[in-house]
Amino acid sequence: MGEQGCVDVAIVGGGASGLAAAYAAAQAGATVVVLERDVALGLSILKTGNGRCNISNARLDFTHYLYPERAAQIMGEDAEKRLAQFFDELGIVTTELEGRLYPASRSSASVRDALILSCEQQGVQFLGACELNAAELRQGRWELRYSVPVSHISLNQGVRRARRVLAEAKRHTVSIHASALILATGGASTQICEQFGLAHLDERPVLCPLACELAQPQGLYLASLDGIRIHAKLTLVRAGRELYSETGEVLFRSYGISGIVSFNCSRRAQAGDILQLNLMPSFTDEELEAYVSHRQDIRGLFVEADEHWFDGLFVPELGKLLYDYAAHDIRRVKAAIQALPLTVFGTAEEQQAQVRRGGIPLGSVDERLSAGEALFAAGELLDMDADCGGYNLAWAWLTGILAGKSAAHYVGATHD
């Protein structure tokens, strides 16, 4: 830890942005320690991309971010180039799939391991199971007091078991001094902002499923489609105005819809909005009109048909719902296929949300991510989120790198 427990840069939080900050600060010549409250570092990385780790997007279009102009300012015009260099230095080979970047290993564990190893090679020290209790800036240097378990907590029986042991472990208090501090604690930001007296915006989960139900008629429910996946175009409508649309896989759930397109829509939807599902998005209006006419030629008039009229077109459960919805009216069939209306109630399964909106307002940090004297912030702790596709991890990596370099530069200027 250095003489008398002193380091140049201390980082609170050992997730993606915290580890990127540690690597960047150490590479710039600073002595670095990472304080992580969980039983191990980088565990949040393991959840990304369904275990495959969608580490970035091949083309970082800033319009996918909550604040496009600020994202462009902070991440920079050469964001893709700098990320490619970062991954190369870590020894991570990337591969592109539909515009998304993944490690060639298709393993989030390999990304985590490469990042931790690279930090260790730069001399970064790690403190796990570490709870920050107090932080005080004295004469330009941070005194951090934190508690750690008295006994070592083993991971041999898995993370869940280790977390249960940690919750009951006896602790003792340790202190350390740092010339600069980086906060990278992720989306749960209320406590850390209160602890440091930072401005804070209330958090809410985004990138999660949507709770919704058929707008009409009464008596029909999406629960009959639970578990069914379709390729559809989703359009978000508010007060008659289209706000957003995206085509992709939709997963019906008993409470509404899930899947990437619904996750992205959850960043924009409000209770009372209408979601329109185009069940045959590759068809133009004219093509659908012609096809429905043709289908009546081969299946018979819909006014005289039963639910099997949809056999070969949709799965039986969806065919049955459309049949009941249309009530023998061929015009309602066409309308339902083009824009099946769902009323939004809110988000669902929020505990599984990929990111949280809110945290430190971007107006409270400068272009170097300084949040105060000798204090920097990075990653999801800042009020920025983006669509699925690697954009959120790209923000974590790049803000971590920027905060790490800024803290190291600050320490160098202080030492000089």
Side-chain angles (χ1 to χ4, degrees):
M1 200 83 61
E3 185 178 356
Q4 296 181 344
C6 297
V7 294
D8 293 328
V9 178
I11 300 170
V12 183
S17 60
L19 291 174
Y23 176 80
Q27 192 181 47
T31 56
V32 181
V33 64
V34 178
L35 312 179
E36 169 56 46
R37 68 184 304 179
D38 209 342
V39 292
L41 288 95
L43 294 180
S44 59
I45 298 173
L46 301 180
K47 303 176 183 178
T48 59
N50 290 323
R52 296 186 301 165
C53 196
N54 179 195
I55 55 178
S56 185
N57 197 280
R59 287 158 289 279
L60 290 173
D61 181 352
F62 298 120
T63 62
H64 287 277
Y65 289 87
L66 180 61
Y67 305 110
E69 292 184 2
R70 197 66 201 276
Q73 178 190 43
I74 292 173
M75 299 170 76
E77 295 181 357
D78 61 343
E80 294 93 345
K81 180 180 179 180
R82 286 187 291 114
L83 275 179
Q85 179 181 347
F86 174 63
F87 297 140
D88 181 63
E89 290 176 359
L90 299 180
I92 298 173
V93 177
T94 62
T95 184
E96 183 178 340
L97 178 62
E98 297 180 343
R100 303 179 179 204
L101 289 183
Y102 293 87
S105 64
R106 301 296 205 281
S107 167
S108 56
S110 71
V111 173
R112 170 183 177 265
D113 293 346
L115 189 52
I116 290 176
L117 176 60
S118 297
C119 285
E120 289 175 338
Q121 290 175 331
Q122 293 288 339
V124 176
Q125 298 187 56
F126 300 125
L127 292 174
C130 175
E131 188 75 34
L132 182 66
N133 296 325
E136 186 176 358
L137 187 64
R138 293 182 177 180
Q139 298 180 337
R141 175 174 288 188
W142 287 100
E143 180 183 347
L144 308 175
R145 293 186 293 280
Y146 57 93
S147 64
V148 291
V150 173
S151 302
H152 172 71
I153 295 178
S154 172
L155 292 172
N156 291 339
Q157 298 185 47
V159 171
R160 290 185 180 179
R161 168 64 177 169
R163 284 172 174 165
R164 288 195 294 269
V165 173
L166 174 61
E168 300 174 359
K170 293 183 178 180
R171 291 175 169 270
H172 66 103
T173 301
V174 185
S175 64
I176 186 175
H177 292 84
S179 298
L181 180 62
I182 299 174
L183 303 179
T185 52
S189 56
T190 303
Q191 181 178 346
I192 198 74
C193 286
E194 290 178 352
Q195 195 167 18
F196 285 86
L198 299 172
H200 179 262
L201 297 173
D202 289 342
E203 309 151 16
R204 72 176 181 88
V206 293
L207 294 186
C208 51
L210 285 168
C212 52
E213 191 52 270
L214 281 166
Q216 54 178 322
Q218 293 184 352
L220 290 182
Y221 303 102
L222 292 181
S224 64
L225 305 181
D226 190 21
I228 291 174
R229 300 175 187 269
I230 63 169
H231 183 76
K233 178 181 179 180
L234 182 153
T235 301
L236 177 66
V237 179
R238 182 178 303 151
R241 186 166 64 94
E242 294 187 4
L243 301 181
Y244 176 77
S245 66
E246 184 178 356
T247 300
E249 184 180 82
V250 173
L251 170 63
F252 288 107
R253 303 309 309 269
S254 60
Y255 55 74
I257 59 172
S258 187
I260 289 177
V261 293
S262 75
F263 291 173
N264 289 340
C265 192
S266 73
R267 300 182 57 240
R268 304 161 171 91
Q270 298 177 4
D273 289 348
I274 297 296
L275 297 178
Q276 296 177 345
L277 287 183
N278 186 333
L279 307 177
M280 298 176 67
S282 63
F283 280 55
T284 65
D285 293 348
E286 294 76 14
E287 288 171 339
L288 180 60
E289 180 76 29
Y291 179 75
V292 169
S293 177
H294 172 66
R295 193 166 187 85
Q296 290 200 104
D297 290 338
I298 62 175
R299 282 280 189 264
L301 296 176
F302 183 69
V303 69
E304 302 171 352
D306 60 19
E307 62 199 66
H308 294 290
W309 193 85
F310 293 97
D311 287 359
L313 182 59
F314 300 116
V315 297
E317 294 87 350
L318 180 55
K320 175 67 165 59
L321 183 141
L322 291 174
Y323 173 76
D324 293 339
Y325 178 90
H328 293 289
D329 187 340
I330 193 65
R331 293 170 300 179
R332 284 179 62 84
V333 169
K334 290 183 285 188
I337 291 174
Q338 286 183 309
L340 186 67
L342 310 176
T343 300
V344 176
F345 301 133
T347 51
E349 295 188 352
E350 295 179 343
Q351 69 279 8
Q352 302 298 325
Q354 296 184 25
V355 297
R356 298 176 72 87
R357 179 173 295 172
I360 300 175
L362 291 176
S364 297
V365 297
D366 64 16
E367 68 280 359
R368 303 299 297 175
L369 298 184
S370 172
E373 183 182 355
L375 183 64
F376 302 84
E380 196 180 346
L381 180 60
L382 298 167
D383 180 34
M384 180 71 81
D385 64 90
D387 289 326
C388 296
Y391 298 103
N392 289 289
L393 261 184
W395 171 260
W397 304 132
L398 288 169
T399 56
I401 293 169
L402 177 56
K405 289 182 176 179
S406 298
H409 180 267
Y410 174 86
V411 171
T414 302
H415 288 347
D416 291 343

PDB file of all heavy atoms in Angstrom, residues 5-25:
ATOM      1  N   GLY A   5       0.594   3.552   4.634  1.00  0.00           N
ATOM      2  CA  GLY A   5      -0.740   3.397   4.058  1.00  0.00           C
ATOM      3  C   GLY A   5      -1.125   4.520   3.124  1.00  0.00           C
ATOM      4  O   GLY A   5      -2.271   4.972   3.163  1.00  0.00           O
ATOM      5  N   CYS A   6      -0.209   4.986   2.305  1.00  0.00           N
ATOM      6  CA  CYS A   6      -0.481   6.094   1.389  1.00  0.00           C
ATOM      7  C   CYS A   6      -0.402   5.623  -0.060  1.00  0.00           C
ATOM      8  O   CYS A   6       0.484   4.840  -0.420  1.00  0.00           O
ATOM      9  CB  CYS A   6       0.521   7.234   1.598  1.00  0.00           C
ATOM     10  SG  CYS A   6       0.443   7.997   3.231  1.00  0.00           S
ATOM     11  N   VAL A   7      -1.311   6.101  -0.871  1.00  0.00           N
ATOM     12  CA  VAL A   7      -1.276   5.845  -2.307  1.00  0.00           C
ATOM     13  C   VAL A   7      -1.551   7.154  -3.040  1.00  0.00           C
ATOM     14  O   VAL A   7      -2.041   8.123  -2.452  1.00  0.00           O
ATOM     15  CB  VAL A   7      -2.325   4.789  -2.734  1.00  0.00           C
ATOM     16  CG1 VAL A   7      -2.001   3.430  -2.143  1.00  0.00           C
ATOM     17  CG2 VAL A   7      -3.728   5.232  -2.357  1.00  0.00           C
ATOM     18  N   ASP A   8      -1.234   7.144  -4.310  1.00  0.00           N
ATOM     19  CA  ASP A   8      -1.569   8.313  -5.128  1.00  0.00           C
ATOM     20  C   ASP A   8      -3.064   8.377  -5.400  1.00  0.00           C
ATOM     21  O   ASP A   8      -3.704   9.415  -5.229  1.00  0.00           O
ATOM     22  CB  ASP A   8      -0.816   8.261  -6.464  1.00  0.00           C
ATOM     23  CG  ASP A   8       0.685   8.417  -6.307  1.00  0.00           C
ATOM     24  OD1 ASP A   8       1.102   9.131  -5.372  1.00  0.00           O
ATOM     25  OD2 ASP A   8       1.434   7.826  -7.104  1.00  0.00           O
ATOM     26  N   VAL A   9      -3.622   7.245  -5.836  1.00  0.00           N
ATOM     27  CA  VAL A   9      -5.033   7.218  -6.251  1.00  0.00           C
ATOM     28  C   VAL A   9      -5.747   6.038  -5.596  1.00  0.00           C
ATOM     29  O   VAL A   9      -5.291   4.897  -5.698  1.00  0.00           O
ATOM     30  CB  VAL A   9      -5.164   7.098  -7.787  1.00  0.00           C
ATOM     31  CG1 VAL A   9      -6.631   7.019  -8.193  1.00  0.00           C
ATOM     32  CG2 VAL A   9      -4.476   8.270  -8.484  1.00  0.00           C
ATOM     33  N   ALA A  10      -6.845   6.323  -4.921  1.00  0.00           N
ATOM     34  CA  ALA A  10      -7.727   5.283  -4.393  1.00  0.00           C
ATOM     35  C   ALA A  10      -9.007   5.293  -5.216  1.00  0.00           C
ATOM     36  O   ALA A  10      -9.520   6.350  -5.570  1.00  0.00           O
ATOM     37  CB  ALA A  10      -8.035   5.518  -2.920  1.00  0.00           C
ATOM     38  N   ILE A  11      -9.512   4.110  -5.507  1.00  0.00           N
ATOM     39  CA  ILE A  11     -10.730   3.979  -6.311  1.00  0.00           C
ATOM     40  C   ILE A  11     -11.753   3.202  -5.514  1.00  0.00           C
ATOM     41  O   ILE A  11     -11.480   2.087  -5.061  1.00  0.00           O
ATOM     42  CB  ILE A  11     -10.432   3.273  -7.651  1.00  0.00           C
ATOM     43  CG1 ILE A  11      -9.405   4.078  -8.446  1.00  0.00           C
ATOM     44  CG2 ILE A  11     -11.709   3.074  -8.455  1.00  0.00           C
ATOM     45  CD1 ILE A  11      -8.869   3.359  -9.656  1.00  0.00           C
ATOM     46  N   VAL A  12     -12.928   3.773  -5.347  1.00  0.00           N
ATOM     47  CA  VAL A  12     -14.016   3.110  -4.642  1.00  0.00           C
ATOM     48  C   VAL A  12     -14.924   2.476  -5.688  1.00  0.00           C
ATOM     49  O   VAL A  12     -15.629   3.170  -6.418  1.00  0.00           O
ATOM     50  CB  VAL A  12     -14.804   4.095  -3.763  1.00  0.00           C
ATOM     51  CG1 VAL A  12     -15.896   3.355  -2.991  1.00  0.00           C
ATOM     52  CG2 VAL A  12     -13.875   4.816  -2.796  1.00  0.00           C
ATOM     53  N   GLY A  13     -14.885   1.154  -5.761  1.00  0.00           N
ATOM     54  CA  GLY A  13     -15.680   0.434  -6.746  1.00  0.00           C
ATOM     55  C   GLY A  13     -14.803  -0.322  -7.719  1.00  0.00           C
ATOM     56  O   GLY A  13     -13.979   0.287  -8.413  1.00  0.00           O
ATOM     57  N   GLY A  14     -14.981  -1.638  -7.766  1.00  0.00           N
ATOM     58  CA  GLY A  14     -14.138  -2.467  -8.625  1.00  0.00           C
ATOM     59  C   GLY A  14     -14.898  -3.123  -9.756  1.00  0.00           C
ATOM     60  O   GLY A  14     -14.646  -4.280 -10.088  1.00  0.00           O
ATOM     61  N   GLY A  15     -15.841  -2.382 -10.354  1.00  0.00           N
ATOM     62  CA  GLY A  15     -16.539  -2.865 -11.539  1.00  0.00           C
ATOM     63  C   GLY A  15     -15.790  -2.464 -12.795  1.00  0.00           C
ATOM     64  O   GLY A  15     -14.584  -2.190 -12.766  1.00  0.00           O
ATOM     65  N   ALA A  16     -16.514  -2.394 -13.913  1.00  0.00           N
ATOM     66  CA  ALA A  16     -15.877  -2.092 -15.192  1.00  0.00           C
ATOM     67  C   ALA A  16     -15.179  -0.739 -15.186  1.00  0.00           C
ATOM     68  O   ALA A  16     -14.001  -0.625 -15.552  1.00  0.00           O
ATOM     69  CB  ALA A  16     -16.922  -2.148 -16.312  1.00  0.00           C
ATOM     70  N   SER A  17     -15.883   0.312 -14.766  1.00  0.00           N
ATOM     71  CA  SER A  17     -15.283   1.647 -14.790  1.00  0.00           C
ATOM     72  C   SER A  17     -14.176   1.776 -13.755  1.00  0.00           C
ATOM     73  O   SER A  17     -13.145   2.416 -14.012  1.00  0.00           O
ATOM     74  CB  SER A  17     -16.347   2.725 -14.572  1.00  0.00           C
ATOM     75  OG  SER A  17     -16.996   2.556 -13.329  1.00  0.00           O
ATOM     76  N   GLY A  18     -14.346   1.164 -12.567  1.00  0.00           N
ATOM     77  CA  GLY A  18     -13.318   1.248 -11.537  1.00  0.00           C
ATOM     78  C   GLY A  18     -12.037   0.555 -11.940  1.00  0.00           C
ATOM     79  O   GLY A  18     -10.934   1.076 -11.715  1.00  0.00           O
ATOM     80  N   LEU A  19     -12.147  -0.616 -12.565  1.00  0.00           N
ATOM     81  CA  LEU A  19     -10.950  -1.334 -13.009  1.00  0.00           C
ATOM     82  C   LEU A  19     -10.286  -0.629 -14.179  1.00  0.00           C
ATOM     83  O   LEU A  19      -9.050  -0.590 -14.271  1.00  0.00           O
ATOM     84  CB  LEU A  19     -11.322  -2.770 -13.376  1.00  0.00           C
ATOM     85  CG  LEU A  19     -11.714  -3.666 -12.196  1.00  0.00           C
ATOM     86  CD1 LEU A  19     -12.205  -5.014 -12.680  1.00  0.00           C
ATOM     87  CD2 LEU A  19     -10.541  -3.846 -11.234  1.00  0.00           C
ATOM     88  N   ALA A  20     -11.084  -0.059 -15.083  1.00  0.00           N
ATOM     89  CA  ALA A  20     -10.497   0.711 -16.184  1.00  0.00           C
ATOM     90  C   ALA A  20      -9.751   1.925 -15.649  1.00  0.00           C
ATOM     91  O   ALA A  20      -8.666   2.274 -16.132  1.00  0.00           O
ATOM     92  CB  ALA A  20     -11.590   1.141 -17.160  1.00  0.00           C
ATOM     93  N   ALA A  21     -10.337   2.577 -14.630  1.00  0.00           N
ATOM     94  CA  ALA A  21      -9.677   3.725 -14.012  1.00  0.00           C
ATOM     95  C   ALA A  21      -8.383   3.305 -13.332  1.00  0.00           C
ATOM     96  O   ALA A  21      -7.358   4.009 -13.425  1.00  0.00           O
ATOM     97  CB  ALA A  21     -10.613   4.379 -12.998  1.00  0.00           C
ATOM     98  N   ALA A  22      -8.397   2.160 -12.664  1.00  0.00           N
ATOM     99  CA  ALA A  22      -7.198   1.673 -11.980  1.00  0.00           C
ATOM    100  C   ALA A  22      -6.084   1.406 -12.985  1.00  0.00           C
ATOM    101  O   ALA A  22      -4.920   1.787 -12.761  1.00  0.00           O
ATOM    102  CB  ALA A  22      -7.527   0.398 -11.203  1.00  0.00           C
ATOM    103  N   TYR A  23      -6.417   0.752 -14.070  1.00  0.00           N
ATOM    104  CA  TYR A  23      -5.417   0.448 -15.092  1.00  0.00           C
ATOM    105  C   TYR A  23      -4.835   1.727 -15.675  1.00  0.00           C
ATOM    106  O   TYR A  23      -3.604   1.871 -15.803  1.00  0.00           O
ATOM    107  CB  TYR A  23      -6.049  -0.397 -16.198  1.00  0.00           C
ATOM    108  CG  TYR A  23      -5.104  -0.684 -17.342  1.00  0.00           C
ATOM    109  CD1 TYR A  23      -4.150  -1.685 -17.241  1.00  0.00           C
ATOM    110  CD2 TYR A  23      -5.167   0.064 -18.514  1.00  0.00           C
ATOM    111  CE1 TYR A  23      -3.267  -1.934 -18.289  1.00  0.00           C
ATOM    112  CE2 TYR A  23      -4.294  -0.178 -19.560  1.00  0.00           C
ATOM    113  CZ  TYR A  23      -3.349  -1.180 -19.448  1.00  0.00           C
ATOM    114  OH  TYR A  23      -2.474  -1.417 -20.481  1.00  0.00           O
ATOM    115  N   ALA A  24      -5.704   2.684 -16.009  1.00  0.00           N
ATOM    116  CA  ALA A  24      -5.238   3.926 -16.633  1.00  0.00           C
ATOM    117  C   ALA A  24      -4.377   4.748 -15.680  1.00  0.00           C
ATOM    118  O   ALA A  24      -3.349   5.313 -16.087  1.00  0.00           O
ATOM    119  CB  ALA A  24      -6.437   4.747 -17.105  1.00  0.00           C
ATOM    120  N   ALA A  25      -4.790   4.837 -14.412  1.00  0.00           N
ATOM    121  CA  ALA A  25      -4.023   5.620 -13.442  1.00  0.00           C
ATOM    122  C   ALA A  25      -2.664   4.987 -13.187  1.00  0.00           C
ATOM    123  O   ALA A  25      -1.629   5.677 -13.129  1.00  0.00           O
ATOM    124  CB  ALA A  25      -4.801   5.748 -12.144  1.00  0.00           C
TER     125      ALA A  25
END
